[in-house]
Amino acid sequence: MFETALPGARGSDATELLRELVRTEDRLYRLVAERRVLTDLDLSEFATMWVSFASTRFVRCSFAKAHLENTFFDFTSFEECEFGESACFNVSFAGARFERCSFRGATMDQCNFNGIEAKECDFSDASLRRSRFINARLQTTRFINCDLHDAIFRYSLRNEVTFKHSNVEEAFL
Amino acid sequence: MKIISSFCNRSGSNMYICGPDKGGPAAIIDPAPCTESVVRSLAAHHYDIAAVLVTSPSAALEHSIRTISRIYPVRVFAGCDRIGEIECVDASGQSNIDVGDLSFSVIPVRPHSRFSIMYGIEEVFFTGLIIHAGTIGDTANEYAEELLVSLVKRTLGEHGEGSVLLPGVGPTTTLRAELNVNPYFRRQDGRARY
């Protein structure tokens, strides 16, 4: 496994460094930025595959229009982050904490949201086909007009959560 | 080593191709019907499929394996010696399967079924229907369920919690995630399942 250190920096320098670190596709699974605090990063149109950001804290970062596949954000914390219109497939957010994050219009099919804590998040207009929210704790979170085909919310705790106008065909709510 | 994952819409399952960085003999795990993108991907990586690894034998795999075996001279490894009309190498007694430069560890998972096997390489495990994100596969009874959870903890735990689990259905996950959020694993730790 390849391991690299990323300074817990903020702004454009850190953004460029992060882009550079994940650019090479010569390894299966790289540890990038583990246990770091990353603030105000513009990761829009970012593309990753087989990269792990486990236990990292993202504050006010933008993943808008990012393309993430087989990427691991396990036990990561996201505060005021933007995932609008991003395309995620097979991304693991297991055990992550989301606070005031927006996923509006994002495609997050077959993603692992098991055990997450989401507070004041907005998944409106998102596609979450086959995604899993097993054991998740959701508070004041909106799933309006979502595609929740085959999504699983088993054992999740929900408070002020709405699924209005969503496609829940074959979903386990 | 590189892993290419492919989702099959028709069967709703995941298929994986695992090969060396610079092309050569590769293995395909739980093959789904070959799509154009898979064929293109194999060509782009200069992979020759030399082995098919099956986690849980089922009739649904027969057609895909037959198609692959008409293109590549493959050996099929499974927990039994036959899937339909396809002859297999019974891997349940082996500790490793070598495919070119790659060596896959073999972990029979009898609590799931007597034919079930997980395959590992480095810190990556192909778990098929045995474990998938947030749950485990069907077992015959609760006793088998407990045995399955114990076996997974014991065998995969040796490789560290950062181990990546690539299931046959649903999203990718890690051992750490399963130990902490999967209700079946939490229950065995004495924590609440619900």
Side-chain angles (χ1 to χ4, degrees), chain B residues 83-146:
Chain B
I83 300 173
E85 292 174 1
I86 294 166
E87 280 189 24
C88 308
V89 177
D90 186 349
S92 55
Q94 302 183 17
S95 57
N96 283 80
I97 294 169
D98 293 327
V99 181
D101 294 336
L102 307 177
S103 182
F104 293 86
S105 60
V106 177
I107 306 165
V109 190
R110 301 222 191 277
H112 182 252
S113 94
R114 54 188 284 231
F115 307 117
S116 295
I117 293 178
M118 290 192 295
Y119 302 94
I121 185 162
E122 295 181 12
E123 294 137 325
V124 178
F125 293 89
F126 301 95
T127 61
L129 300 175
I130 300 161
I131 324 171
H132 32 118
T135 188
I136 59 172
D138 289 337
T139 54
N141 51 45
E142 282 200 16
Y143 179 61
E145 185 181 297
E146 296 287 323

Side-chain angles (χ1 to χ4, degrees), chain A residues 55-90:
Chain A
S55 303
T56 302
R57 188 171 159 220
F58 290 93
V59 181
R60 291 186 301 277
C61 294
S62 174
F63 293 88
K65 296 183 184 173
H67 184 93
L68 312 175
E69 200 176 326
N70 290 306
T71 301
F72 299 85
F73 291 98
D74 293 358
F75 303 95
T76 289
S77 171
F78 296 93
E79 294 162 42
E80 297 177 44
C81 291
E82 167 70 40
F83 285 84
E85 294 179 49
S86 60
C88 300
F89 185 76
N90 252 337

Side-chain angles (χ1 to χ4, degrees), chain B residues 6 17 30 32 37-38 40 49 58 66 72 76 81 92 94-95 99 110 124 144-145 161-162 165 169 171 178 182:
Chain B
S6 168
I17 296 158
D30 289 337
S37 69
V38 170
R40 219 181 293 136
I49 301 299
S58 80
R66 192 176 295 125
Y72 302 100
V76 181
D81 55 16
S92 55
Q94 302 183 17
S95 57
V99 181
R110 301 222 191 277
V124 178
E145 185 181 297
E161 290 194 3
L165 310 186
V169 290
E178 295 313 298
N182 187 321

Side-chain angles (χ1 to χ4, degrees), chain A residues 98-113:
Chain A
F98 296 94
E99 209 168 318
R100 294 186 298 281
C101 293
S102 173
F103 298 84
R104 285 187 77 96
T107 301
M108 310 201 86
D109 292 342
Q110 199 164 297
C111 288
N112 182 356
F113 291 97

Side-chain angles (χ1 to χ4, degrees), chain A residues 1 55 70 74 110 132 135 155, chain B residues 5 14 133 170 174 181 194:
Chain A
M1 185 180 293
S55 303
N70 290 306
D74 293 358
Q110 199 164 297
R132 297 186 180 188
N135 255 337
Y155 310 135
Chain B
S5 71
N14 302 317
T174 60
V181 304
Y194 300 103

Side-chain angles (χ1 to χ4, degrees), chain B residues 168-188:
Chain B
V169 290
T172 52
T173 185
T174 60
L175 182 60
R176 184 181 173 207
E178 295 313 298
L179 293 177
N180 287 284
V181 304
N182 187 321
Y184 291 91
F185 288 87
R186 284 163 59 103
R187 185 179 57 168
Q188 210 180 47

